[in-house]
Coordinates of all heavy atoms in Angstrom, one line a residue:
M1 N -42.9 50.2 21.0 CA -43.3 48.9 20.5 C -44.7 48.6 20.9 O -45.1 48.8 22.1 CB -42.4 47.8 21.0 CG -42.8 46.4 20.4 SD -41.6 45.1 20.8 CE -41.8 44.9 22.6
Y2 N -45.6 48.2 19.9 CA -47.0 47.9 20.2 C -47.1 46.5 20.7 O -46.7 45.6 20.0 CB -47.8 48.2 19.0 CG -49.3 47.7 19.2 CD1 -50.1 48.4 20.0 CD2 -49.7 46.6 18.5 CE1 -51.4 48.0 20.2 CE2 -51.1 46.2 18.7 CZ -51.9 46.9 19.5 OH -53.2 46.5 19.7
I3 N -47.7 46.3 21.9 CA -48.0 45.0 22.4 C -49.5 44.8 22.5 O -50.1 45.5 23.3 CB -47.3 44.7 23.7 CG1 -45.8 44.9 23.6 CG2 -47.6 43.3 24.3 CD1 -45.1 44.9 24.9
P4 N -50.1 44.0 21.7 CA -51.6 43.8 21.7 C -52.0 43.1 23.0 O -51.3 42.3 23.6 CB -51.9 42.9 20.5 CG -50.6 42.2 20.3 CD -49.5 43.1 20.7
S5 N -53.1 43.6 23.6 CA -53.7 42.9 24.8 C -54.2 41.5 24.4 O -54.6 41.3 23.2 CB -54.7 43.8 25.4 OG -55.8 43.9 24.5
L6 N -54.4 40.7 25.4 CA -54.8 39.3 25.0 C -56.3 39.3 24.8 O -56.8 38.4 24.2 CB -54.5 38.4 26.2 CG -53.0 38.0 26.3 CD1 -52.8 37.1 27.4 CD2 -52.4 37.4 25.0
F7 N -57.1 40.2 25.4 CA -58.5 40.2 25.3 C -59.1 41.4 24.8 O -58.6 42.5 25.0 CB -59.1 39.9 26.7 CG -58.7 38.6 27.3 CD1 -57.6 38.5 28.1 CD2 -59.4 37.4 27.0 CE1 -57.2 37.2 28.6 CE2 -59.0 36.2 27.5 CZ -57.9 36.1 28.3
T8 N -60.2 41.2 24.1 CA -61.0 42.4 23.7 C -62.4 42.2 24.4 O -62.6 41.2 25.1 CB -61.3 42.4 22.1 OG1 -62.1 41.2 21.8 CG2 -60.0 42.3 21.4
R9 N -63.3 43.1 24.2 CA -64.6 43.0 24.8 C -65.3 41.7 24.4 O -66.1 41.1 25.1 CB -65.4 44.2 24.5 CG -66.5 44.6 25.6 CD -66.8 46.1 25.5 NE -67.1 46.5 24.1 CZ -68.3 46.5 23.6 NH1 -69.3 46.1 24.3 NH2 -68.5 47.0 22.4
K10 N -65.1 41.3 23.2 CA -65.8 40.1 22.6 C -65.0 38.8 22.7 O -65.4 37.8 22.3 CB -66.2 40.4 21.2 CG -67.2 41.5 21.1 CD -67.7 41.6 19.6 CE -68.7 40.5 19.3 NZ -69.3 40.6 18.0
G11 N -63.7 38.9 23.1 CA -62.9 37.7 23.1 C -61.4 38.0 23.0 O -61.0 39.1 23.1
P12 N -60.7 36.9 22.9 CA -59.2 37.1 22.9 C -58.7 37.6 21.5 O -59.3 37.3 20.5 CB -58.7 35.7 23.2 CG -59.8 34.8 22.6 CD -61.1 35.5 22.8
R13 N -57.6 38.3 21.6 CA -56.9 38.7 20.4 C -56.0 37.5 20.0 O -55.8 37.3 18.8 CB -56.0 39.9 20.6 CG -56.7 41.2 20.6 CD -55.7 42.3 20.6 NE -56.4 43.5 21.1 CZ -57.1 44.3 20.4 NH1 -57.3 44.0 19.1 NH2 -57.6 45.4 20.9
V14 N -55.5 36.9 21.0 CA -54.5 35.8 20.7 C -55.1 34.5 21.2 O -55.5 34.3 22.3 CB -53.2 36.0 21.5 CG1 -52.2 34.9 21.3 CG2 -52.6 37.4 21.1
L15 N -55.2 33.5 20.3 CA -55.8 32.2 20.7 C -54.7 31.5 21.4 O -53.6 31.2 20.9 CB -56.2 31.5 19.4 CG -56.9 30.1 19.7 CD1 -58.2 30.3 20.4 CD2 -57.1 29.4 18.3
L16 N -55.0 31.1 22.7 CA -54.0 30.4 23.5 C -54.2 28.9 23.5 O -53.4 28.2 24.1 CB -54.0 30.9 24.9 CG -53.7 32.4 25.1 CD1 -53.9 32.8 26.5 CD2 -52.3 32.7 24.6
I17 N -55.2 28.4 22.8 CA -55.5 27.0 22.7 C -54.9 26.4 21.4 O -55.1 27.0 20.4 CB -57.0 26.7 22.8 CG1 -57.6 27.4 24.0 CG2 -57.3 25.2 22.8 CD1 -57.1 27.0 25.3
Q18 N -54.2 25.3 21.6 CA -53.6 24.7 20.4 C -54.1 23.2 20.4 O -54.1 22.5 21.4 CB -52.1 24.7 20.5 CG -51.4 24.4 19.2 CD -49.9 24.6 19.4 OE1 -49.2 23.9 20.1 NE2 -49.4 25.6 18.7
I19 N -54.4 22.7 19.2 CA -54.8 21.3 19.1 C -53.7 20.5 18.6 O -53.0 20.9 17.6 CB -56.0 21.2 18.1 CG1 -57.2 22.0 18.5 CG2 -56.4 19.7 17.9 CD1 -58.3 22.1 17.4
K20 N -53.4 19.4 19.2 CA -52.5 18.4 18.7 C -53.3 17.4 17.9 O -53.9 16.4 18.5 CB -51.8 17.7 19.9 CG -50.7 18.5 20.6 CD -49.8 17.7 21.4 CE -50.5 17.2 22.7 NZ -49.7 16.4 23.6
D21 N -53.3 17.6 16.6 CA -54.2 16.8 15.7 C -53.9 15.3 15.9 O -54.8 14.4 15.8 CB -54.0 17.2 14.3 CG -54.7 18.5 14.0 OD1 -55.8 18.7 14.6 OD2 -54.2 19.3 13.2
D22 N -52.6 14.9 16.1 CA -52.2 13.5 16.1 C -52.7 12.9 17.4 O -52.7 11.6 17.5 CB -50.7 13.3 15.9 CG -49.9 14.1 16.9 OD1 -50.4 15.0 17.5 OD2 -48.7 13.7 17.0
A23 N -53.0 13.7 18.4 CA -53.4 13.1 19.7 C -55.0 13.0 19.8 O -55.5 12.3 20.7 CB -52.9 13.9 20.9
C24 N -55.7 13.8 19.0 CA -57.1 13.9 19.1 C -57.8 12.6 18.7 O -57.4 12.0 17.7 CB -57.6 15.0 18.3 SG -59.4 15.2 18.3
D25 N -58.7 12.1 19.5 CA -59.5 10.9 19.2 C -60.9 11.2 18.7 O -61.7 10.3 18.5 CB -59.6 10.1 20.5 CG -60.1 8.7 20.3 OD1 -59.5 7.9 19.5 OD2 -61.1 8.3 20.9
F26 N -61.2 12.5 18.5 CA -62.5 13.0 18.0 C -63.7 12.5 18.9 O -64.7 12.1 18.4 CB -62.7 12.5 16.5 CG -61.5 12.9 15.7 CD1 -60.6 11.9 15.3 CD2 -61.2 14.2 15.4 CE1 -59.4 12.3 14.5 CE2 -60.1 14.6 14.7 CZ -59.2 13.6 14.2
C27 N -63.4 12.5 20.2 CA -64.5 12.0 21.1 C -65.6 13.0 21.3 O -66.7 12.7 21.7 CB -63.8 11.6 22.5 SG -63.2 13.1 23.3
G28 N -65.3 14.3 21.1 CA -66.3 15.3 21.2 C -66.5 15.9 22.6 O -67.3 16.8 22.8
C29 N -65.7 15.5 23.6 CA -65.8 16.0 25.0 C -65.6 17.5 25.0 O -66.4 18.2 25.7 CB -64.8 15.3 25.9 SG -65.1 13.6 26.2
C30 N -64.7 18.0 24.3 CA -64.4 19.4 24.3 C -65.5 20.2 23.7 O -65.8 21.3 24.1 CB -63.1 19.7 23.6 SG -63.1 19.1 21.9
V31 N -66.2 19.7 22.7 CA -67.3 20.4 22.0 C -68.4 20.6 23.1 O -69.0 21.7 23.2 CB -67.8 19.6 20.8 CG1 -69.0 20.2 20.2 CG2 -66.7 19.4 19.8
G32 N -68.7 19.5 23.8 CA -69.8 19.6 24.8 C -69.5 20.6 25.9 O -70.4 21.1 26.5
V33 N -68.3 20.7 26.3 CA -67.9 21.6 27.5 C -67.7 23.0 27.1 O -67.8 23.9 28.0 CB -66.7 21.0 28.2 CG1 -65.4 21.4 27.6 CG2 -66.7 21.4 29.7
C34 N -67.5 23.3 25.9 CA -67.2 24.7 25.5 C -68.4 25.6 25.6 O -69.4 25.4 25.0 CB -66.7 24.8 24.0 SG -66.3 26.5 23.5
P35 N -68.3 26.7 26.5 CA -69.5 27.5 26.7 C -69.7 28.5 25.5 O -70.7 29.2 25.5 CB -69.1 28.3 28.0 CG -67.6 28.3 28.0 CD -67.2 27.0 27.3
E36 N -68.8 28.6 24.6 CA -68.9 29.6 23.5 C -69.2 28.9 22.2 O -69.2 29.6 21.1 CB -67.6 30.4 23.4 CG -67.1 31.0 24.7 CD -68.1 32.0 25.2 OE1 -68.8 32.6 24.4 OE2 -68.0 32.3 26.4
D37 N -69.4 27.6 22.2 CA -69.6 26.9 20.9 C -68.4 27.2 19.9 O -68.6 27.5 18.7 CB -70.9 27.2 20.2 CG -72.1 26.6 20.9 OD1 -71.9 25.6 21.6 OD2 -73.2 27.2 20.9
A38 N -67.2 27.2 20.5 CA -66.1 27.6 19.7 C -65.3 26.4 19.1 O -64.2 26.6 18.5 CB -65.1 28.4 20.6
I39 N -65.8 25.2 19.3 CA -65.2 24.0 18.7 C -66.1 23.3 17.9 O -67.3 23.0 18.3 CB -64.6 23.1 19.9 CG1 -63.8 23.9 20.9 CG2 -63.8 21.9 19.3 CD1 -63.4 23.0 22.1
E40 N -65.7 22.9 16.7 CA -66.5 22.2 15.7 C -65.8 20.8 15.5 O -64.6 20.8 15.3 CB -66.7 22.9 14.4 CG -67.7 24.0 14.5 CD -67.9 24.7 13.2 OE1 -67.2 24.4 12.2 OE2 -68.8 25.6 13.1
L41 N -66.7 19.8 15.5 CA -66.2 18.4 15.2 C -66.9 17.9 14.0 O -68.1 17.8 14.0 CB -66.4 17.5 16.4 CG -66.0 16.1 16.3 CD1 -64.5 15.9 16.0 CD2 -66.4 15.3 17.6
Q42 N -66.2 17.6 13.0 CA -66.8 17.0 11.8 C -66.0 15.8 11.4 O -64.9 15.9 10.9 CB -66.7 18.0 10.6 CG -67.6 19.3 10.9 CD -67.1 20.5 10.0 OE1 -66.0 20.5 9.6 NE2 -68.0 21.4 9.8
E43 N -66.6 14.6 11.7 CA -66.0 13.3 11.5 C -64.6 13.3 12.0 O -64.4 13.3 13.3 CB -66.1 13.0 10.0 CG -67.5 12.8 9.5 CD -67.6 12.2 8.1 OE1 -66.6 11.6 7.6 OE2 -68.7 12.4 7.5
A44 N -63.6 13.3 11.2 CA -62.2 13.2 11.7 C -61.5 14.6 11.6 O -60.3 14.6 11.3 CB -61.5 12.1 11.0
R45 N -62.2 15.6 11.9 CA -61.6 17.0 11.9 C -62.2 17.8 13.0 O -63.4 17.9 13.2 CB -61.9 17.6 10.5 CG -61.2 19.0 10.4 CD -61.6 19.5 9.0 NE -61.3 20.9 8.9 CZ -60.1 21.4 8.7 NH1 -59.1 20.6 8.4 NH2 -59.9 22.7 8.6
I46 N -61.3 18.4 13.8 CA -61.7 19.3 14.8 C -61.2 20.7 14.6 O -60.0 20.9 14.2 CB -61.3 18.8 16.2 CG1 -62.0 19.6 17.3 CG2 -59.8 18.8 16.4 CD1 -62.2 18.8 18.6
T47 N -62.0 21.7 14.8 CA -61.6 23.1 14.4 C -62.0 24.0 15.5 O -63.1 23.9 16.1 CB -62.4 23.5 13.2 OG1 -62.3 22.6 12.1 CG2 -61.9 24.9 12.6
L48 N -61.1 24.9 15.9 CA -61.4 26.0 16.8 C -61.8 27.3 16.1 O -61.1 27.7 15.1 CB -60.1 26.3 17.6 CG -59.8 25.5 18.8 CD1 -58.4 25.9 19.4 CD2 -60.9 25.6 19.9
I49 N -62.9 27.8 16.5 CA -63.4 29.1 15.9 C -62.8 30.2 16.7 O -63.2 30.5 17.8 CB -64.9 29.1 15.9 CG1 -65.4 27.9 15.1 CG2 -65.4 30.4 15.2 CD1 -66.9 27.7 15.2
E50 N -61.8 30.8 16.2 CA -60.9 31.7 16.9 C -61.6 32.9 17.5 O -61.4 33.3 18.7 CB -59.8 32.2 16.0 CG -58.6 32.8 16.7 CD -57.4 33.0 15.8 OE1 -57.3 32.2 14.8 OE2 -56.7 33.9 16.0
D51 N -62.5 33.5 16.8 CA -63.1 34.7 17.3 C -64.2 34.4 18.3 O -64.8 35.4 18.9 CB -63.6 35.6 16.2 CG -64.6 35.0 15.3 OD1 -64.9 33.8 15.5 OD2 -65.1 35.6 14.4
R52 N -64.5 33.2 18.6 CA -65.5 32.8 19.7 C -64.8 32.5 20.9 O -65.3 32.6 22.0 CB -66.4 31.7 19.2 CG -67.4 32.0 18.2 CD -68.4 30.9 18.1 NE -69.2 31.0 16.9 CZ -70.0 30.1 16.4 NH1 -70.0 28.9 17.0 NH2 -70.7 30.3 15.3
C53 N -63.6 31.9 20.8 CA -62.9 31.4 22.0 C -62.4 32.5 22.9 O -61.9 33.5 22.6 CB -61.6 30.6 21.5 SG -60.6 29.9 22.9
T54 N -62.7 32.2 24.2 CA -62.3 33.2 25.3 C -61.1 32.7 26.1 O -60.8 33.2 27.2 CB -63.5 33.4 26.2 OG1 -63.9 32.2 26.8 CG2 -64.7 34.1 25.5
N55 N -60.5 31.6 25.6 CA -59.3 31.1 26.3 C -59.7 30.6 27.8 O -58.8 30.7 28.6 CB -58.2 32.1 26.4 CG -57.6 32.3 25.0 OD1 -57.5 31.4 24.2 ND2 -57.1 33.6 24.8
C56 N -60.9 30.1 28.0 CA -61.3 29.7 29.3 C -60.6 28.4 29.7 O -60.5 28.1 30.9 CB -62.8 29.6 29.4 SG -63.4 28.1 28.6
A57 N -60.1 27.6 28.8 CA -59.3 26.4 29.0 C -60.2 25.2 29.5 O -59.7 24.2 29.8 CB -58.2 26.6 29.9
K58 N -61.5 25.4 29.5 CA -62.3 24.2 29.9 C -62.1 23.0 29.0 O -62.1 21.9 29.5 CB -63.8 24.6 29.9 CG -64.2 25.5 31.0 CD -65.6 25.9 31.0 CE -65.9 26.8 32.2 NZ -67.3 27.4 32.1
C59 N -61.9 23.3 27.7 CA -61.7 22.2 26.8 C -60.4 21.4 27.1 O -60.3 20.2 26.9 CB -61.7 22.7 25.4 SG -60.5 24.0 25.1
V60 N -59.4 22.2 27.5 CA -58.1 21.6 27.8 C -58.2 20.6 29.0 O -57.7 19.5 29.0 CB -57.1 22.7 28.2 CG1 -55.7 22.1 28.6 CG2 -56.9 23.7 27.0
W61 N -58.9 21.1 30.0 CA -59.1 20.2 31.2 C -59.9 19.0 31.0 O -59.7 18.0 31.6 CB -59.6 21.1 32.4 CG -58.7 22.1 32.8 CD1 -58.9 23.5 32.7 CD2 -57.4 22.0 33.4 NE1 -57.8 24.2 33.1 CE2 -56.9 23.3 33.6 CE3 -56.7 20.9 33.8 CZ2 -55.7 23.5 34.2 CZ3 -55.4 21.1 34.4 CH2 -54.9 22.4 34.5
V62 N -60.9 19.1 30.1 CA -61.8 17.9 29.9 C -61.2 16.9 28.9 O -61.6 15.8 28.9 CB -63.2 18.4 29.4 CG1 -63.2 18.7 27.9 CG2 -64.3 17.5 29.8
C63 N -60.3 17.3 28.0 CA -59.8 16.4 27.0 C -59.1 15.1 27.6 O -58.1 15.3 28.3 CB -58.8 17.1 26.1 SG -58.2 15.9 24.8
P64 N -59.6 14.0 27.4 CA -59.0 12.7 28.0 C -57.7 12.3 27.3 O -57.0 11.4 27.8 CB -60.1 11.7 27.8 CG -60.9 12.2 26.7 CD -60.8 13.6 26.6
F65 N -57.4 12.9 26.2 CA -56.2 12.5 25.4 C -55.1 13.5 25.4 O -54.2 13.4 24.6 CB -56.7 12.1 24.0 CG -57.6 11.0 23.9 CD1 -59.0 11.2 23.9 CD2 -57.2 9.7 24.0 CE1 -59.9 10.1 23.9 CE2 -58.0 8.6 24.0 CZ -59.4 8.8 23.9
E66 N -55.3 14.6 26.2 CA -54.3 15.7 26.2 C -54.0 16.2 24.8 O -52.8 16.5 24.5 CB -53.0 15.2 27.0 CG -53.3 14.9 28.4 CD -52.1 14.5 29.2 OE1 -51.0 14.4 28.6 OE2 -52.2 14.2 30.4
A67 N -55.0 16.3 24.0 CA -54.9 16.8 22.7 C -55.0 18.3 22.5 O -54.8 18.8 21.4 CB -55.9 16.1 21.8
L68 N -55.4 19.0 23.6 CA -55.5 20.4 23.6 C -54.4 21.0 24.6 O -54.3 20.5 25.7 CB -56.9 20.8 24.0 CG -58.0 20.4 23.0 CD1 -59.3 20.5 23.7 CD2 -57.9 21.3 21.8
I69 N -53.8 22.0 24.2 CA -52.7 22.6 25.0 C -53.1 24.1 25.2 O -53.5 24.8 24.3 CB -51.4 22.6 24.3 CG1 -51.0 21.1 23.9 CG2 -50.3 23.2 25.1 CD1 -49.9 21.0 23.0
F70 N -52.9 24.5 26.5 CA -53.1 26.0 26.8 C -51.7 26.6 26.8 O -50.8 26.1 27.5 CB -53.7 26.1 28.2 CG -54.2 27.5 28.5 CD1 -55.0 28.2 27.6 CD2 -53.8 28.1 29.6 CE1 -55.4 29.5 27.9 CE2 -54.2 29.4 29.9 CZ -55.0 30.1 29.0
L71 N -51.5 27.5 25.9 CA -50.1 28.0 25.6 C -49.6 28.9 26.7 O -48.4 29.2 26.7 CB -50.1 28.7 24.3 CG -50.5 27.8 23.1 CD1 -50.5 28.6 21.8 CD2 -49.5 26.7 23.0
K72 N -50.4 29.4 27.6 CA -49.9 30.3 28.7 C -49.2 29.5 29.7 O -49.8 28.7 30.4 CB -51.0 31.1 29.3 CG -50.6 32.2 30.2 CD -51.8 33.0 30.6 CE -51.4 34.2 31.4 NZ -52.6 35.0 31.9
P73 N -47.9 29.6 29.9 CA -47.1 28.7 30.8 C -47.7 28.8 32.2 O -47.9 29.8 32.8 CB -45.7 29.3 30.7 CG -45.7 30.0 29.4 CD -47.0 30.6 29.2
G74 N -47.9 27.6 32.8 CA -48.3 27.5 34.2 C -49.7 27.6 34.4 O -50.2 27.3 35.5
A75 N -50.5 28.1 33.5 CA -51.9 28.4 33.7 C -52.8 27.2 33.3 O -53.9 27.0 33.8 CB -52.4 29.7 33.1
G76 N -52.4 26.5 32.3 CA -53.3 25.5 31.7 C -52.7 24.1 31.5 O -53.3 23.2 31.1
V77 N -51.4 24.0 31.8 CA -50.7 22.8 31.6 C -50.3 22.2 32.9 O -49.7 22.8 33.7 CB -49.5 23.0 30.7 CG1 -48.8 21.6 30.5 CG2 -49.8 23.6 29.4
L78 N -50.8 21.0 33.2 CA -50.5 20.3 34.5 C -49.0 20.0 34.5 O -48.4 19.6 33.5 CB -51.2 19.0 34.6 CG -52.7 19.1 34.9 CD1 -53.4 17.8 34.9 CD2 -52.9 19.7 36.3
P79 N -48.3 20.3 35.7 CA -46.9 19.9 35.7 C -46.7 18.4 35.6 O -47.5 17.6 36.0 CB -46.5 20.4 37.1 CG -47.8 20.5 37.9 CD -48.9 20.8 36.9
E80 N -45.6 18.0 35.1 CA -45.3 16.6 35.0 C -45.0 16.1 36.4 O -44.5 16.8 37.2 CB -44.0 16.4 34.1 CG -44.3 16.7 32.6 CD -43.1 16.6 31.8 OE1 -42.2 15.8 32.1 OE2 -43.0 17.3 30.8
A81 N -45.3 14.8 36.5 CA -45.1 14.1 37.8 C -43.6 14.3 38.2 O -42.7 14.1 37.4 CB -45.5 12.7 37.7
G82 N -43.4 14.6 39.5 CA -42.0 14.7 40.0 C -41.4 16.1 39.8 O -40.2 16.3 40.2
K83 N -42.1 17.0 39.2 CA -41.5 18.3 39.0 C -42.1 19.4 39.9 O -43.2 19.2 40.3 CB -41.6 18.8 37.5 CG -40.8 17.9 36.6 CD -40.6 18.5 35.2 CE -39.7 17.7 34.4 NZ -39.5 18.3 33.1
Ligands
LIG101 S1 -61.8 16.3 23.9 FE1 -59.7 16.0 23.1 S2 -59.7 14.0 22.0 FE2 -61.8 14.7 22.3 S3 -62.4 15.7 20.4 FE3 -61.7 17.3 21.9 S4 -59.5 17.5 21.4 FE4 -60.1 15.6 20.5
LIG102 S1 -60.8 27.7 25.7 FE1 -62.9 27.8 26.4 S2 -64.0 29.0 24.8 FE2 -62.0 28.4 23.9 S3 -62.5 26.5 22.8 FE3 -61.8 25.9 24.9 S4 -63.7 25.7 26.1 FE4 -64.2 26.9 24.2

C-alpha cells in the first residue's frame, strides 16, 4: 500500500489546516502571520493556497475566533479545559 509522505521539498502533500467558514470573522490576523503568503482574504471570503502552505500552524494559533483547525491530533488543537 502506498502511503504518501506529508511533506515535499516545496511543501506539504496533505493540507492539515482547515477553515471553519462559519466561525471566521474575516479579521485578517492569519493573513498577516502566514510566512508563506498562503492565505488570501477577499472581503467575506478566505482561501488557503494549498501548494504554498507548510502546515506551520501559525495561523491556527493566532486566530482569535478558532476558525482554523490543525488536523493533526494533539499538535495544533488546544485541549479542552478539564481534559
Ligand atoms: S484569523 Fe481567523 S477569523 Fe481572522 S480571518 Fe483568519 S481565519 Fe478568519
Ligand atoms: S499553516 Fe502556516 S503556512 Fe499554512 S496557511 Fe497557516 S500560517 Fe500559512
